[in-house]
Amino acid sequence: MATILVFLGLNFWSNQLDDLHIQDVKIYNTFFAMENGKPTFYLYGKLKPTFASYSGGAFTQYNNSNGGNYGWNTSKNNVYIDGQQTHSPFGSKEVVFRIKSDSKEGLTLLNQNLYLTDHHHHKIKIYDARTRTQPYSIDQKDTHKFIKQNKIQ
């Protein structure tokens, strides 16, 4: 009986949502792509610690003010992306964010700096709007090429 209670307690703890911690994420690639004529930003990464797993499937959002496993906050010049994780050692380690440009939501993306953030106020700059560079990008470190190819202003 005690074993079952311990198992249930560990299972409950491991599946609780927690804010994604910046130190837990290894970013593999970021890039822009066109979807329905709008620039869309992608981030691919992996969680490092044993007791961390990404909550939810790829391309979903968690239920915050923006609706569904990640969300964002915007200011005039910046977009702050935040996510959630669980503590299951058996969950998915893959982290995928997809954010579509939407001027109604204040997301102009190419004209804003993009940051991955956590609740401890740590942040990683993943796109610099002034220089139009992505330090974690494999193919698009210079985003000017993307803009020219897609004739974006």
Side-chain angles (χ1 to χ4, degrees), residues 17 54-55 59-71 84:
L17 290 177
Y54 183 62
S55 65
F59 310 132
T60 60
Q61 297 173 296
Y62 63 85
N63 292 321
N64 67 3
S65 61
N66 303 316
N69 285 328
Y70 64 88
Q84 293 187 333

Side-chain angles (χ1 to χ4, degrees), residues 105-142:
E105 294 283 336
L107 295 168
T108 56
L109 296 184
L110 291 169
N111 300 320
Q112 295 170 299
N113 298 314
L114 300 175
Y115 293 91
L116 185 61
T117 63
D118 66 18
H119 72 283
H120 295 294
H121 305 292
H122 299 121
K123 60 184 177 181
I124 300 172
K125 193 173 207 174
I126 50 181
Y127 172 68
D128 187 319
R130 187 181 57 76
T131 61
R132 298 203 185 261
T133 56
Q134 301 173 65
Y136 296 95
S137 176
I138 293 174
D139 297 327
Q140 294 185 41
K141 289 194 186 299
D142 180 1

Side-chain angles (χ1 to χ4, degrees), residues 25-130:
V25 180
K26 168 79 173 143
I27 299 172
Y28 288 124
N29 191 17
T30 64
F31 63 92
F32 285 97
M34 291 298 283
E35 286 188 11
N36 299 325
K38 293 183 178 183
T40 302
F41 182 77
Y42 288 87
L43 179 144
Y44 289 93
K46 195 165 200 140
L47 290 172
K48 296 184 282 189
T50 302
F51 287 100
S53 59
Y54 183 62
S55 65
F59 310 132
T60 60
Q61 297 173 296
Y62 63 85
N63 292 321
N64 67 3
S65 61
N66 303 316
N69 285 328
Y70 64 88
W72 59 83
N73 295 305
T74 60
S75 68
K76 181 180 178 187
N77 298 318
N78 301 310
V79 176
Y80 301 98
I81 305 164
D82 58 295
Q84 293 187 333
Q85 68 185 35
T86 59
H87 300 285
S88 172
F90 308 109
S92 173
K93 300 285 187 199
E94 302 299 317
V95 176
V96 181
F97 296 123
R98 176 182 143 248
I99 299 176
K100 198 180 268 192
S101 190
D102 184 353
S103 57
K104 292 177 193 170
E105 294 283 336
L107 295 168
T108 56
L109 296 184
L110 291 169
N111 300 320
Q112 295 170 299
N113 298 314
L114 300 175
Y115 293 91
L116 185 61
T117 63
D118 66 18
H119 72 283
H120 295 294
H121 305 292
H122 299 121
K123 60 184 177 181
I124 300 172
K125 193 173 207 174
I126 50 181
Y127 172 68
D128 187 319
R130 187 181 57 76

